[in-house]
Amino acid sequence: RAARALGRFIATGDLTRPQVEEALRGAAAGNATQPLRYYDDVIRRALDWSITHNPGRGKAA
């Protein structure tokens, strides 16, 4: 959920993708019950979805 929520800030240019990925990866590592590569994949897919489905600056909503 956090990745999908934060993806809109990447789409608008308020945050960079590496900033968001690093923060989410750190949070996942602190609470991991799965291998980190699992979380990397989940984060990547959620960010991709969010960026695609949230308009960036200057785009119609």
Side-chain angles (χ1 to χ4, degrees), residues 4 11 38 41 49:
R4 285 180 63 172
Y38 167 81
D41 183 57
W49 184 94

Side-chain angles (χ1 to χ4, degrees), residues 9-30:
F9 295 107
I10 297 170
T12 60
D14 293 315
L15 293 171
T16 67
R17 186 171 181 137
Q19 287 174 313
V20 172
E21 287 176 336
E22 183 179 333
L24 291 171
R25 192 168 201 275

